[in-house]
């Protein structure tokens, strides 16, 4: 039986309930034509009877398929709604048991050690990448990031993917960019893309370190970015509290970057004006801004003169700074 691309994409819907893809394909086939014999199914799928018999037995165990009392035996699919509800209830029972067992493990941990160490060192490039990814996945409320070069190239795309997923789940991201990091074209484009997904971004000259803070309870600080990379993990401690306070202090001093979509042309500025001011805020010249926007340099100069006059600014950077401080580029709330 041929399988369309749409059917191929749909298969896997029951994977989370413990039903394999081959079993699900067999169940789908029975839904489209119930009461088939093993020979019918083998002919339709072009598969030998032995593996089909095993898959049918697995489907019977889950309650998705039953046998008729006739000879030859025919296989009848259960209605998807009630059958899936039963599978979900079973899986929930398993999760509840796992949660109960996890509490016992936590109790053993607390009795044995009392608490996790306040400071831990993690070594190795891949171990560090996984640490940063997992810490973001475990966050429930907010991620704070000090962002500056250099970057672990092989980890940038994976980190951005996780960040987009977490922001879609409602986790708030605030990122403090060093101006140098946004002068790199790839990082600049990535910062704009993340802002479009909800990241609150600000820029500052001389961000003092790279770090990521999750929910105010865990911080990751890379301390060595050579081949044998090291990162320090900080948990509940005065050092972690100081790092959070440093972020908030620098966040107040930093300049907001991109529009967040919460203002409709504040101060008479268009979205294009705010885009230009965002480039100005990170120190881009008119020539660089022209390359980034694909416009003529003289066109950029003309727009910037108009914007500077509107803001009463003498320089492009001052215009970007004033626009940021007035909330024209983003949200001023902390």
């Amino acid at each position: 039986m041929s399988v369309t691309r749409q059917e191929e994409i749909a298969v896997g819907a029951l994977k989370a309930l413990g039903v394999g893809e081959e079993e699900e394909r067999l169940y789908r086939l029975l839904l489209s034509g119930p009461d088939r014999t093993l020979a019918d199914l083998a002919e339709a799928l072009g598969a030998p009877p032995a593996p089909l018999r095993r898959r049918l037995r697995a489907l019977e165990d889950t309650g998705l398929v039953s046998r008729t009392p006739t000879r030859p035996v025919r296989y009848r699919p259960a209605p998807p709604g009630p059958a899936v509800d039963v599978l979900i209830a079973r899986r929930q029972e398993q999760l509840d048991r796992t949660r109960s067992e996890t509490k016992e493990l936590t109790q053993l941990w607390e009795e044995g050690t009392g608490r996790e160490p306040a400071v831990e060192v993690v070594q190795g490039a891949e171990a560090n990448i996984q640490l940063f990814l997992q810490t973001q996945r475990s966050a429930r409320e907010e991620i704070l990031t000090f962002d500056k070069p250099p970057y672990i190239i092989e980890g940038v795309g994976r980190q951005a993917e996780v960040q987009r997923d977490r922001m879609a789940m409602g986790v708030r991201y605030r990122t403090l960019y060093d101006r140098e990091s946004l002068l790199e074209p790839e990082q600049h484009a990535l910062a704009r893309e993340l802002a479009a997904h909800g990241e609150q971004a600000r820029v500052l000259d001389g961000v003092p370190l790279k770090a990521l803070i999750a929910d105010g309870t865990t911080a990751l600080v890379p301390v060595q970015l050579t081949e044998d990379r090291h990162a320090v993990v900080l948990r509940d401690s005065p050092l972690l509290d100081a790092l959070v306070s440093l972020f908030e202090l620098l966040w107040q001093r930093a300049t907001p970057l991109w529009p967040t979509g919460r203002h409709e042309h504040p101060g008479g500025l268009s979205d294009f004006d705010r885009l230009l001011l965002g480039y100005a805020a990170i120190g881009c010249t008119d020539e660089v801004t022209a390359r980034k926007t694909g416009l003529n340099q003289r066109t950029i100069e003309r727009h910037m003169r108009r914007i500077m006059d509107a803001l009463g600014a003498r320089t492009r950077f001052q215009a970007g700074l004033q626009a940021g401080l007035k909330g024209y580029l983003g949200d001023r709330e902390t």
Side-chain angles (χ1 to χ4, degrees), residues 272 286-287 289-291 293-303:
F272 179 70
D286 290 342
E287 180 182 2
T289 301
R291 288 201 303 269
T293 57
L295 297 175
N296 182 280
Q297 183 175 339
R298 289 186 178 179
T299 300
I300 297 299
E301 291 172 351
R302 185 172 66 253
H303 281 293

Side-chain angles (χ1 to χ4, degrees), residues 261-277:
R262 300 184 183 181
H263 304 285
E264 294 185 2
H265 311 298
L269 299 176
S270 67
D271 286 341
F272 179 70
D273 292 341
R274 291 188 288 162
L275 174 65
L276 297 185
L277 285 166

Side-chain angles (χ1 to χ4, degrees), residues 122-139 143-147 150-152 155-156 158-160 162-163 166 173 209-214 218-225 229-234 243:
V122 175
Q123 301 182 27
E126 184 59 28
N128 271 266
I129 292 173
Q130 291 300 327
L131 175 66
F132 274 75
L133 296 179
Q134 185 55 40
T135 301
Q136 291 181 75
R137 292 189 184 106
S138 65
I143 294 284
L144 310 177
T145 305
F146 293 89
D147 187 285
Y151 298 98
I152 303 177
V156 170
R158 292 153 70 183
Q159 301 244 20
V162 169
Q163 179 172 341
R166 299 308 295 155
Y173 273 74
L209 78 167
K210 292 171 71 74
L212 181 145
I213 306 169
T218 304
L220 310 178
V221 184
V223 293
Q224 182 174 318
L225 292 171
R229 297 182 174 96
H230 292 181
V232 172
V233 183
L234 301 176
L243 192 60

Side-chain angles (χ1 to χ4, degrees), residues 139-144 171-174 213-216 248:
R140 292 293 175 266
E141 296 180 4
E142 183 177 54
I143 294 284
L144 310 177
V171 177
R172 183 187 187 199
Y173 273 74
R174 287 193 285 153
I213 306 169
D215 290 338
E248 297 295 355

Side-chain angles (χ1 to χ4, degrees), residues 161-203:
E161 181 179 356
V162 169
Q163 179 172 341
R164 286 190 290 268
D165 290 344
R166 299 308 295 155
M167 287 192 293
M169 296 294 291
V171 177
R172 183 187 187 199
Y173 273 74
R174 287 193 285 153
T175 301
L176 189 60
Y177 289 98
D178 188 279
R179 188 194 292 186
E180 282 190 14
S181 66
L182 294 177
L183 293 178
E184 298 183 14
E186 296 82 3
Q187 286 301 121
H188 185 277
L190 180 60
R192 280 192 57 78
E193 194 264 339
L194 292 175
H197 283 78
E199 178 186 80
Q200 294 183 39
R202 297 188 183 184
V203 64

